[in-house]
Amino acid sequence: MTTQDLIQIILFITVLIGLTPILGNYMYKVFTGNKHFILPVFGWLEKLTYKFSGINPDEETNWKSYTFGLLMFNLIGFVFVFLIQLFQAYLPMNPANLSNVSWHSAFNTAVSFMTNTNWQGYAGETTLSYFVQMIGLTVQNFVSAATGIAVLLALIRGISRKTTEGLGNFWTDITRSTLYVLLPLSILLAIVLVGQGVVQNFKTYETVQTLQGAQQVIPMGPAASQIVIKQMGTNGGGFFNSNSSHPFENPTPLSNFLQMVAILLIPVALTYTYGKMVDSTRQGWTVFTAMLILFIAGLIISLYDEYSANSIFGHLHLMEGKETRFGITNSILWSAATTSASNGSVNAMHDSLSPIAGMMAMINIMLGEIIFGGVGAGLYGMVIFIIITVFIAGLMVGRTPEYLGKKIETFEVQMAIIAVLAPNLVIQILSAWASVSSYGLSSLNNAGPHGFSEILYAYSSAAGNNGSAFAGLNANSVFYNLTLGFGMLIGRFGVIIPVLAIAGNMNKKKITPLSAGTFRTDNWLFIGLLIAVILTVGGLTHFPALSLGPLMDHLLMNYGITF
Amino acid sequence: MKTIIISLKIFLFFTMLTGIVYPLLVTGIAQVTFPAKANGSLIVNDNQTIGSSLIGQQFDSIIYFTSRPSAISYNPLPSGGSNYGLTNLKLKNLVAERKKQFIVFNQLDSLTVIPSEMLFASASGLDPHISKQAALLQVARVAKARNFNAIQKQNLVQSVKTLTETPQFLILGEERVNVLILNLELNKLDQNFH
């Protein structure tokens, strides 16, 4: 590593910290219905949305109606994306004449984009038409992110309001997130990215005669508009197969930097919004700090291992699956950001990372996608861990646990445990199944422990709604498409429903005023406890599996053993 | 029932807005502000499109600078890397083979340190760049293959240096040379070519 590498990392983190209060404060105004500077520009669109859809924006619903609306809306999105893939050959905007998608791949992709996972078992440029990419996938990129924010907003209202049933209005929540946050940021950044070389057109694929006289077919398409929202909404699904390592998706170091910022931007800023909405920015910064510590720790371990010599390749820089313009540092920084943020886009092939760097990517996902995490999803996942931490601290001092003045009781803890267990069960059970079945093992690209890592990564990615992969695994089979599809559903709604139930239950409670005996949740002691709880839960659950995969891979590599 | 109808309507509205209006709006602005880039940064040479400055091409001829190894042989449909893990024997063998080949092909001393991007395949399989060192190591071989005189050879070294892109704003990314653009420049330096 050089000083220049270090400067890039520091610059990246500084930019994120700097933007947190700015965007966070803006989103606070948006979500609480205050005046803000985009209102004059897009305000009419919000009114039009309500008028068109027959929504009364002032109506508030209880948690059950809120959840029902969310599930219906997601179901419709799923069915639509599923169907247009099955019939894409008969639909317009298909200049490459791509055929209909298989039912199992269509199912997997529809679930994947609805759940904000964007796991891709297919290769974009040879599978999906411009029609499906735009009208199917780009739309889900927006609304799945908006859904995540809506769940977070409901949870915040549940925590900060007292003795009421009303948890807000799902329709206004997704409308405001889309119109005032996701859409303006996306338009702005899309243009900048095109300026760096990202393609944005509806032309047919370009056939060229190369300098050596060979033929090369260069794919085209409306890529920039989809790539921006794939980063901004922590979706991660690439327009092209090799995602953000493709020179048309990520042509320059600047486009790389901006996309990395975009990956974490909304999740970091939401911690500030959270603080404002619960009336204590200190609480927001506490959560932010805990997340940042975990992020930096993982990043350092990955960089250290990637730059270390090993017995197979000696001191060679490990450039397999990496692009020259990004080099090792930017590839590793990206891998840390994309796995922390439940984004899943890649600018380097994670399958070819050094074993420990690959493991850190996996751990970032396995901890529950709460190190900043997905848009909205990361923070509501973190609140689940806060509830568990407060509960454990309460047991230790023998007081009824409280969080922000609300008593944490049996129901909340039960729901929190379900939310923690749901994705972890998917990872453990499905990975085990795939590793002992012929239809699971036949898809592997690597042998030995690294082969197991491919499986473990796939189900972690699905359950954590991340979407990145050890992409050597050929996941476009009936078995993987279906199991990963169900894994994504459980990983998404197995957390959302308990979170909304917690919100609905806490909403009804009184707020106990702060006293000398209150257990503080906004200081360093709490940050330490929270991190300890997260690492304990994650470690106890996944250490055995990790030791069979990446840890074993690492040890064998250092004996020079290959498979 | 009311919820279902609202869901359908708002879904339809967002599909029109974010699925049609938004990409069309971005396309419109992009085609006006950065038309060449929005259409793939294509390079036209003698009225013929010979590629994109962003998409790498396969170069294995002795008269051209070699590009990086690619798991897809620079065929972009679809893009991708090898996805070999570090403990994969195929990768170990490939690296050893590429090292030997690079040394023989460029008639280098067997102890020469070869830049690692020439030994490992890229992520996209379409990486258009190599490092400056990797280009400089190939100058002697290319010059010999094209019967360059000493001045032409010196001009070629100079071209490699001028075409080397520094990290963006001197901070972001890595130093690199675009192989396709370098080879186009090489053809220009060679009077016998064409």
Side-chain angles (χ1 to χ4, degrees), chain A residues 447-464:
Chain A
H450 196 76
F452 176 66
S453 297
E454 285 185 338
I455 294 175
L456 189 61
Y457 197 108
Y459 290 104
S460 305
S461 177

Side-chain angles (χ1 to χ4, degrees), chain B residues 56-118:
Chain B
Q57 297 185 357
Q58 179 95 15
F59 285 109
D60 43 20
S61 158
I62 193 147
I63 59 163
Y64 284 121
F65 285 91
T66 313
S67 40
R68 281 187 74 178
S70 159
I72 51 164
S73 305
Y74 289 92
N75 169 17
L77 296 178
S79 53
S82 71
N83 283 308
Y84 289 147
L86 299 187
T87 49
N88 194 322
L89 181 62
K90 287 184 211 151
L91 181 63
K92 187 182 170 185
N93 292 340
L94 272 173
V95 168
E97 205 176 291
R98 285 167 186 155
K99 195 169 181 175
K100 214 169 86 189
Q101 215 208 325
F102 193 85
I103 286 173
V104 172
F105 195 59
N106 294 296
Q107 294 144 28
L108 300 168
D109 184 276
S110 62
L111 292 176
T112 317
V113 178
I114 300 167
S116 62
E117 80 277 3
M118 301 312 287

Side-chain angles (χ1 to χ4, degrees), chain B residues 19 24 31 36 38-39 47 51 90 109 152 168 170 181 185:
Chain B
L24 287 181
Q31 290 290 342
N39 293 323
N47 288 326
K90 287 184 211 151
D109 184 276
Q152 281 175 307
Q168 217 166 357
L170 301 176
I181 292 174
E185 185 65 27

Side-chain angles (χ1 to χ4, degrees), chain A residues 10 27 45 84 256 288 351 427 455 520 534:
Chain A
I10 293 171
M27 286 196 289
L45 257 177
I84 58 172
N256 189 66
F288 177 91
D351 218 345
I427 302 174
I455 294 175
R520 305 284 305 219
I534 291 166

Side-chain angles (χ1 to χ4, degrees), chain A residues 76 146 150 239 284 306 330 335 340 356 390 407 454 458 467 507 522 528 559:
Chain A
I76 290 166
F239 194 85
E306 195 75 14
N330 276 306
S335 80
S340 297
I356 298 296
V390 169
K407 279 199 173 69
E454 285 185 338
N507 217 6
D522 57 358
Y559 281 103

